[in-house]
Amino acid sequence: MQTRADRLAGLGTTIFAEMTALAERTGAINLGQGFPDTDGPAAVIDAAVAALPGGANQYAPLPGVPDLREAIRRHQRERYGLEPEEVLVTFGATEAVAAAILGLTNPGDAVILFEPYYDSYGACLALAGASRSVVTLRPPDFALDPDALRAAVARTGGRARVLLWNSPHNPTGRVFDRAELQAVAEVCVEHDLVCVSDEVYEHLVFAGEHIPPATLPGMAERTLTISSVGKSFSFTGWKIGWCSGPAELVRAVRTVKQFLTFAGGTPLQHAAAAALGLGAAPLERLRAELRANRDTLAAALAAAGFDAIVPAGTYFINADVGADAARFCVELPERCGVVAIPTSAFYDDREAGASLVRFAFCKRPEVIAEAASRLAGLRR
Ligand code: PMP
Ligand code: GLN
């Protein structure tokens, strides 16, 4: 009998684990799965170490420890002028997205997705019994076409409840602009959609600005804003995330979260509060290092004869390799000792990203330099 797990396994991509295993097997440089190869700020690690013998080892309060919740509120206020009614700490952004979809949809409801999309999104919808109506973002600019968005909503025949948004966007690196955000806001207001906004790359922006949907007119009351400590502070393994927004939306997430995991990671929650309290300096440092890595890799990909799509945000760069991306990625370790990910894995419409390859540049500058020199030697 086919179980739900069997169906899920066919839905999400196993590409991250597969490509990391390929890198381990071949000794290639792993620019596939996106995680940094250096830890975040020492002061944050010190805060975690201090919290361990400090009596912070039991369940956290379900909404999260008060100092982290306050730090999240301050961050939203000072950075974006937002005053969310409620804040909830989660097991990474992943749990916030999953609990939001489970808590805010009924079986048979539809969710608006933008492809290529992060793999957990499709699986969360399947868990919830929701269907997806997909807007395709196409290379090289991955621009959002408002007509395509309206068509995706229309296709649901009135069943759309949630629009699942992600900017800065994985895997394209797009930072959507104000006009695109405006189109999203108009559609959400017009069709009474809840916007679940995954902003885990909010601080990894090199050009333009990150605009939280909640800051647009009519959106604060219908937007659940999600982020985490993983990308902003290079602690992807901590899985301390959060969501904030209207009380009713956060309550829905909290109710599901209570029965998925209740509340944990207590010492790391205190450390995450310390991270958010560090101010702009570490974020600026990370951004500068990533920007330099991005430029090194873009130059190498161009030298190899590929059309590199230089991203405004995240730590992913895509290149059109002019060949089948999946096959290219399987062969790449042997050809030049680098692992990357076929962007087609994030599309329902495999044709749309068939020759696109995603490279993660969140590695030490010397690792990126070595990968760049290996890639630059490739010829189509
Ligand atoms: N959303 C997106 C778009 C991501 O790229 C990631 C990173 N894997 C996540 C969510 C997961 O974030 P976290 O590690 O905080 O669960
Ligand atoms: N967000 C990272 C990526 O897109 C890691 C994803 C994962 O390992 N699940 O590469």
Side-chain angles (χ1 to χ4, degrees):
M1 189 192 69
Q2 203 194 32
T3 62
R4 176 174 282 119
D6 294 329
R7 287 192 297 277
L8 281 180
L11 250 186
T13 167
T14 50
I15 201 80
F16 297 121
E18 265 172 55
M19 287 301 167
T20 290
L22 182 63
E24 280 161 10
R25 214 163 49 241
T26 58
I29 299 176
N30 188 0
L31 305 188
Q33 190 178 19
F35 58 90
D37 60 355
T38 35
D39 290 335
V44 180
I45 294 178
D46 290 346
V49 171
L52 278 167
N57 296 295
Q58 308 310 324
Y59 296 126
L62 179 57
V65 301
D67 55 346
L68 177 54
R69 272 154 53 213
E70 183 44 41
I72 294 162
R73 279 185 188 285
R74 200 178 327 113
H75 176 271
Q76 295 304 92
R77 184 187 319 125
E78 290 176 0
R79 189 128 194 134
Y80 306 119
L82 289 169
E83 298 280 359
E85 286 174 3
E86 289 283 348
V87 168
L88 172 72
V89 178
T90 56
F91 190 77
T94 307
E95 187 188 47
V97 169
I101 297 299
L102 286 165
L104 294 168
T105 62
N106 282 312
D109 284 349
V111 172
I112 308 299
L113 282 189
F114 300 82
E115 69 171 351
Y117 57 84
Y118 185 56
D119 71 334
S120 80
Y121 297 175
C124 288
L125 299 199
L127 282 172
S131 64
R132 57 183 182 255
S133 189
V134 177
V135 182
T136 302
L137 307 170
R138 295 179 193 280
D141 52 8
F142 302 110
L144 171 57
D145 172 2
D147 292 335
L149 171 55
R150 288 183 182 282
V153 177
R155 276 199 303 277
T156 70
R159 286 178 302 116
R161 293 283 166 270
V162 170
L163 179 147
L164 180 43
W165 181 245
N166 170 223
S167 181
H169 182 260
N170 180 11
T172 66
R174 270 293 327 266
V175 179
F176 291 93
D177 65 25
R178 192 164 290 280
E180 291 168 308
L181 258 299
Q182 195 61 49
V184 167
E186 276 168 21
V187 164
C188 286
V189 170
E190 199 175 307
H191 295 275
D192 196 20
L193 305 181
V194 169
C195 176
V196 173
S197 178
D198 177 347
E199 303 179 23
V200 296
Y201 298 100
E202 61 183 317
H203 291 293
L204 309 189
V205 174
F206 317 114
E209 59 166 334
H210 168 60
I211 306 169
T215 60
L216 272 83
M219 289 299 281
E221 58 268 41
R222 60 177 66 252
T223 301
L224 184 81
T225 304
I226 294 172
S227 193
S228 81
V229 84
K231 320 289 168 180
S232 301
F233 297 97
S234 301
F235 291 111
T236 60
W238 284 16
K239 283 285 177 180
I240 301 294
W242 50 84
C243 61
S244 62
E248 191 191 343
L249 299 185
V250 175
R251 200 178 310 122
V253 181
R254 191 177 64 218
T255 302
V256 175
K257 187 226 179 339
Q258 173 176 0
F259 301 118
L260 285 176
T261 56
F262 194 66
T266 312
L268 299 181
Q269 289 198 25
H270 289 291
L276 286 172
L278 289 176
L283 297 169
E284 202 42 66
R285 257 197 310 279
L286 177 62
R287 205 163 24 239
E289 187 172 303
L290 288 173
R291 187 189 286 115
N293 285 351
R294 175 197 69 169
D295 294 343
T296 304
L297 215 48
L301 290 166
F306 303 134
D307 293 327
I309 304 171
V310 180
T314 75
Y315 40 51
F316 304 113
I317 183 168
N318 281 268
D320 190 329
V321 298
D324 178 70
R327 186 190 197 116
F328 177 93
C329 288
V330 168
E331 293 172 355
L332 195 60
E334 191 142 317
R335 288 178 68 196
C336 79
V338 172
V339 161
I341 281 190
T343 309
S344 48
F346 303 95
Y347 275 99
D348 288 347
D349 176 359
R350 293 293 162 106
E351 286 307 309
S355 56
L356 278 185
V357 172
R358 190 196 82 170
F359 298 84
F361 52 84
C362 47
K363 307 293 174 181
R364 282 168 288 140
E366 59 272 29
V367 174
I368 292 296
E370 175 58 28
S373 89
R374 293 181 188 188
L375 285 164
L378 271 180
R379 284 286 174 270
R380 257 197 243 188

